[in-house]
């Protein structure tokens, strides 16, 4: 079934992760994702979905390596835009890189801008310098990773450049309230849908994750929210409803002008 032109079917994959074991995670996800074939347009996986939030070279991938090829294979097989971040090694530097892989194998990449210093991410990874916005099925989609969520200037929807913002995360349960609150804030202030996909389970650092993956409307309303268990859920979002609200409430016309250095 193909979704209407003004609809985008979004699937959130909330899952636990095997620590620093890409092969095991690929095998698990390959089986899980089969249920989505022909039933969705975009599949969103958590941050570092093949290794967990790890600060080591273990499980790192090259930009055209086997893990990236696996994403291309799955995007093609499911006929979806497949989104998720990997630990990428390039030019002797490491990046927490969010990849959006099209069904034909095309890739749009975004390197995480804000590195989580409380977890020493800034000591191992290099920060990104450019925002990532792509177009898929007439929808403009912005890419962000976890800690980016706390920085509204970086997320600002300048001149309504995007319709949907995606935040993939390994966001611990101890700060779950901040996760849920900030996702709604980003949606409201940017007049855009927000998709936040987090993991569940416990990692090798004994950090607990409770999921709370969610799709939020441009009004800050939860369209669908997952709880603290492994789950895959799909929902449709409407371009027509988004545009109608922007026309009736054009707050973006009063936004402050600025440039990022």
């Amino acid at each position: 079934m193909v979704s209407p032109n003004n609809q985008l079917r979004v699937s959130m994959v909330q899952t636990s992760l095997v620590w620093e074991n890409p092969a095991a995670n690929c095998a698990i996800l390959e089986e899980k994702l089969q249920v989505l074939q022909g039933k969705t347009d975009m599949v969103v996986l958590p941050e570092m979905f093949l290794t967990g939030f790890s600060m080591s070279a273990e499980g790192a991938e090259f930009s055209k390596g086997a893990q990236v090829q696996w994403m291309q294979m799955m995007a093609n097989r499911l006929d979806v835009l497949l989104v998720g971040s990997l630990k990428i090694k390039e030019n002797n530097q490491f990046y927490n890189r969010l990849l959006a892989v099209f069904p034909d194998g095309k890739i749009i990449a975004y390197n995480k801008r804000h590195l989580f210093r409380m977890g020493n991410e800034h000591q191992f990874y290099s920060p990104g310098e450019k925002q990532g916005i792509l177009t898929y099925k007439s929808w403009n989609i912005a890419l962000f990773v976890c800690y980016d969520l706390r920085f509204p200037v970086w997320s600002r929807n300048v001149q309504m450049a995007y319709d949907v913002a995606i935040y993939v995360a390994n966001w611990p349960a101890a700060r779950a309230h901040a996760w849920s609150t900030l996702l709604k804030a980003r949606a409201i202030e940017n007049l855009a849908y927000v998709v936040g996909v987090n993991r569940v389970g416990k990692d090798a650092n004994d950090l607990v994750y409770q999921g709370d993956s969610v799709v939020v409307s441009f009004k800050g309303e939860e369209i669908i929210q997952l709880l603290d268990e492994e789950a895959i859920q799909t929902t449709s979002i409407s371009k027509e409803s988004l545009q109608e609200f922007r026309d009736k409430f054009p707050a973006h016309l009063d936004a402050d002008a600025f440039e990022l250095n």
Side-chain angles (χ1 to χ4, degrees):
M1 178 180 177
V2 178
S3 57
N5 289 335
N6 70 337
Q7 300 283 320
L8 186 72
R9 296 170 299 174
V10 179
S11 297
M12 300 184 294
V13 181
Q14 182 171 280
T15 183
S16 60
L17 305 174
V18 182
W19 186 253
E20 295 183 344
N21 193 332
N25 287 307
C26 279
I28 292 168
L29 287 168
E30 190 165 338
E31 182 175 352
K32 283 185 176 183
L33 296 180
Q34 295 309 316
V35 299
L36 295 173
Q37 189 165 9
K39 298 180 180 179
T40 190
D41 300 307
M42 181 170 70
V43 176
V44 185
L45 301 163
E47 177 184 21
M48 290 193 188
F49 67 92
L50 293 182
T51 59
F53 191 57
S54 159
M55 305 301 119
S56 78
E58 189 67 32
E61 174 65 295
F62 295 103
S63 58
K64 296 182 180 179
Q67 296 174 29
V68 177
Q69 292 173 20
W70 179 85
M71 289 189 72
Q72 291 175 311
M73 176 194 72
M74 293 304 298
N76 179 263
R77 179 183 297 179
L78 302 175
D79 191 25
V80 298
L81 182 73
L82 182 61
V83 181
S85 91
L86 301 176
K87 185 190 303 185
I88 295 290
K89 183 177 182 181
E90 189 173 82
N91 298 324
N92 294 318
Q93 292 182 299
F94 291 90
Y95 297 92
N96 184 346
R97 181 169 294 173
L98 183 55
L99 302 180
V101 183
F102 290 69
D104 64 2
K106 175 186 174 182
I107 296 174
I108 300 296
Y110 163 72
N111 293 326
K112 185 178 181 180
R113 169 71 169 182
H114 299 93
L115 303 178
F116 189 60
R117 69 175 55 250
M118 285 69 81
N120 296 320
E121 187 179 15
H122 65 301
Q123 295 182 359
F124 184 75
Y125 295 95
S126 297
E129 298 179 351
K130 297 180 180 180
Q131 293 177 316
I133 299 178
L134 62 96
T135 300
Y136 182 68
K137 292 184 179 291
S138 80
W139 287 76
N140 294 324
I141 301 169
L143 305 175
F144 301 101
V145 181
C146 203
Y147 194 41
D148 286 333
L149 180 60
R150 288 184 177 268
F151 301 93
V153 173
W154 186 248
S155 299
R156 181 69 66 84
N157 194 2
V158 179
Q159 297 182 346
M160 296 292 96
Y162 64 79
D163 307 306
V164 185
I166 296 175
Y167 293 88
V168 302
N170 275 209
W171 195 289
R175 294 183 291 279
H177 179 69
W179 164 255
S180 298
T181 301
L182 292 172
L183 287 169
K184 293 174 183 176
R186 298 295 86 83
I188 293 168
E189 69 195 13
N190 290 304
L191 298 175
Y193 291 100
V194 166
V195 179
V197 177
N198 193 23
R199 63 162 293 179
V200 292
K202 182 186 288 188
D203 68 16
N205 296 315
D206 287 329
L207 291 173
V208 176
Y209 303 87
Q210 69 178 43
D212 295 322
S213 299
V214 65
V215 177
V216 182
S217 80
F218 41 84
K219 296 180 181 180
E221 300 167 340
E222 296 170 355
I223 297 174
I224 184 170
Q225 182 177 24
L226 307 183
L227 299 177
D228 60 354
E229 299 177 340
E230 291 192 310
I232 297 176
Q233 289 287 340
T234 302
T235 191
S236 291
I237 55 178
S238 168
K239 188 84 167 286
E240 183 178 355
S241 296
L242 172 63
Q243 192 56 53
E244 285 179 357
F245 184 75
R246 286 176 172 176
D247 290 343
K248 292 179 181 178
F249 195 82
H252 59 286
L253 298 181
D254 299 312
D256 300 305
F258 67 93
E259 293 183 2
L260 290 172
N261 295 323

